[in-house]
Amino acid sequence: MFRSLAGVNYRIWAAGAIVSNVGTWMQRTAQDWIVLTQLTHNNASAVGFVMALQFGPQLLLLPVTGWAADHLDRRKLLMATQGAMGALGLGLGILTVTGMVQLWHVYLFALLLGVVAAFDAPARQTFVSELVAGPNLSNAVALNSASFNAARLIGPAVAGLLTAAVGAGWVFLINAATFGAVLLSLATLRREQLYRAERAKRTRGGLIDGFRYVRRRPDILVILVMVFLIGTFGLNFPIFISTMSVTVFHQGAGEYGLLSSIMAVGSVVGALLSARRDRPRVSLLFAGAAFFGFGCALAAVMPTYWLFALALIVIGVSSQTLMTTANGTVQMTTDPLLRGRVMAIYMAIFMGGTPVGAPIVGWVADTFGPRWAMGVGAASGFAAALVGVFYLIRYRGLRVRFAGIKPSFVLAPREVVREELVETEATVTRTS
């Protein structure tokens, strides 16, 4: 499960990342809380707008960010983006501590953070391939996800307590300080031991090579459609959890932070189970999508705070199984020369749909209530699962057979062979 930690560079990276991830979750929790309860009167649409500003640049800057991840030194690029994120956290913290913060300030900082994160995300995702050897890449991707969600166990709960005790401004300042850990880890990596792949050449049309490549890969296309549906309408947890906590169960900042931490229990379990597998399996994508829909539907009807919290664990396991499997599959089956651009497309679709979905989900929560907003998340999971089933029928020869009254699902033999080969395929022929 933890085999990637055998490499010293991955251990250094993981140590810095866990500290920074805790700070990131602290800031996200405090930011959503002050927007919902201090800068507005329980306005879920405002929270959705903050999310839209924070994740919208992933889509708008896609050609440039993918190009940067493939052509620039990723370690140096990450040092620049992580330093900029720390500076933005410091600025928002100072405004909040001094009592000067207004809603438009949060909007502005969310937008600036989104611009920086648009460059950071594809570089950070693909940098993992420079820290570990190819056979362990899937494990390293899963452990990265486990680290991010383990931080969610700590960050939101601590942020809730600190926000209630000393105010959100100090949470932002602490987050700014945590970026020092990841900057230190990047500075102390053993650069001679990095697995540096050949950089993509700067050619005319290089920005659209990633799109051409994806267009010729139906297996990647179906993953992107599923990720878009769930990322746009399902992974709006700041809206779901904050509105259910405040307007349905009438809880405070501490209880709101605890809900995020409880869901992280499921997310960590899902990520660690993915780390145990030797390779990502396509069938887990469709199962994860279906169980995500079921978890959201279950949470939507829970009558009490603690039963709602238990349903969040189901959501955490399923969403993390889906996203970790999707990320690992795309990275392991993509031509290394195009990996940065393809991952930029992946991250843009994963996070870039938020400007569309978050305001819609926020409007549903304000107009019809938080439980109906959870229903939107459930629908996204079921829709993604149906897309996966269509792919299996169309491209993998899925058929249903009956032994008496008992059904069984089988793939055509030639497609089973193709599934085994897809992991080792280096590339689909590129057009210039």
Side-chain angles (χ1 to χ4, degrees):
M1 183 182 295
F2 301 101
R3 56 188 180 275
S4 295
L5 292 174
V8 62
N9 273 342
Y10 189 77
R11 289 200 303 273
I12 294 172
W13 165 259
I18 186 67
V19 176
S20 179
N21 287 337
V22 169
T24 296
W25 279 112
M26 290 174 64
Q27 169 140 340
R28 287 186 179 183
T29 303
Q31 176 179 279
D32 296 335
W33 183 258
I34 66 169
V35 169
L36 186 68
T37 64
Q38 296 180 23
L39 302 179
T40 69
H41 183 64
N42 296 341
N43 190 334
S45 296
V47 178
F49 189 57
V50 170
M51 294 175 63
L53 290 172
Q54 192 162 321
F55 297 117
Q58 295 273 356
L59 185 60
L60 297 177
L61 298 175
L62 170 59
V64 181
T65 58
W67 182 92
D70 273 336
H71 292 83
L72 302 182
D73 185 307
R74 291 167 185 158
R75 188 185 70 87
K76 294 180 179 178
L77 179 58
L78 285 172
M79 293 188 74
T81 56
Q82 293 289 307
M85 289 180 182
L88 290 172
L90 177 64
L92 184 58
I94 292 173
L95 283 174
T96 307
V97 167
T98 56
M100 299 173 59
V101 69
Q102 298 179 35
L103 185 60
W104 73 268
H105 291 143
V106 179
Y107 288 160
L108 176 62
F109 276 89
L111 177 62
L112 294 175
L113 184 62
V115 171
V116 177
F119 286 91
D120 181 83
R124 180 161 35 85
Q125 295 290 330
T126 53
F127 185 61
V128 178
S129 64
E130 298 186 16
L131 299 173
V132 297
N136 287 330
L137 180 58
S138 177
N139 175 258
V141 169
L143 289 183
N144 266 9
S145 183
S147 169
F148 188 68
N149 287 285
R152 194 194 291 184
L153 285 170
I154 304 169
V158 173
L161 294 174
L162 287 177
T163 300
V166 297
W170 290 101
V171 176
F172 300 146
L173 294 177
I174 292 172
N175 171 56
T178 63
F179 282 97
V182 73
L183 289 172
L184 179 62
S185 71
L186 287 167
T188 55
L189 289 174
R190 299 181 183 179
R191 278 169 274 180
E192 71 280 1
Q193 295 183 20
L194 293 174
Y195 298 93
R196 294 188 184 275
E198 179 184 356
R199 294 292 180 201
K201 296 181 180 179
R202 304 186 182 188
T203 59
R204 179 178 295 182
L207 294 179
I208 63 173
D209 280 345
F211 291 99
R212 288 171 173 165
Y213 182 85
V214 169
R215 186 183 62 192
R216 295 173 175 269
R217 292 283 304 273
D219 54 332
I220 293 181
L221 279 174
V222 72
I223 291 174
L224 295 181
V225 173
M226 294 175 68
V227 165
F228 170 77
L229 288 171
I230 292 182
T232 301
F233 300 105
L235 300 184
N236 294 293
F237 299 133
I239 298 174
F240 295 150
I241 296 177
S242 63
T243 54
M244 288 290 288
S245 177
V246 173
T247 63
V248 176
F249 301 120
H250 308 291
Q251 301 295 323
E255 290 79 7
Y256 162 54
L258 182 61
L259 284 177
S260 295
S261 295
I262 290 173
M263 189 177 73
V265 173
S267 299
V268 172
V269 171
L272 290 178
L273 288 175
S274 297
R276 285 177 58 89
R277 303 182 185 102
D278 56 344
R279 63 186 176 90
R281 303 181 188 278
V282 174
S283 58
L284 289 174
L285 287 170
F286 314 135
F291 275 100
F292 177 82
F294 170 76
C296 287
L298 186 65
V301 299
M302 287 294 100
T304 68
Y305 173 88
W306 288 109
L307 288 176
F308 176 75
L310 289 176
L312 290 179
I313 297 178
V314 178
I315 296 175
V317 173
S318 57
S319 63
Q320 206 54 49
T321 298
L322 169 71
M323 292 306 168
T324 303
T325 304
N327 190 312
T329 301
V330 172
Q331 289 217 49
M332 291 187 68
T333 63
T334 296
D335 180 354
L337 291 178
L338 289 163
R339 187 174 288 148
R341 277 162 285 183
V342 172
M343 286 307 297
I345 294 171
Y346 173 89
M347 296 304 296
I349 290 175
F350 176 34
M351 296 183 175
T354 301
V356 177
I360 293 174
V361 172
W363 175 81
V364 170
D366 285 335
T367 306
F368 302 102
R371 295 187 186 277
W372 284 100
M374 294 291 308
V376 174
S380 72
F382 294 135
L386 289 176
V387 169
V389 171
F390 171 79
Y391 167 78
L392 288 178
I393 295 173
R394 174 68 176 82
Y395 293 99
R396 307 291 280 275
L398 178 67
R399 297 293 183 268
V400 181
R401 293 178 180 174
F402 289 90
I405 61 171
K406 182 179 180 181
S408 62
F409 300 91
V410 296
L411 295 173
R414 63 183 181 83
E415 298 296 338
V416 173
V417 173
R418 184 173 179 273
E419 177 179 313
E420 297 300 323
L421 289 176
V422 73
E423 180 181 7
T424 59
E425 286 181 337
T427 178
V428 172
T429 302
R430 290 172 52 194
T431 58
S432 61

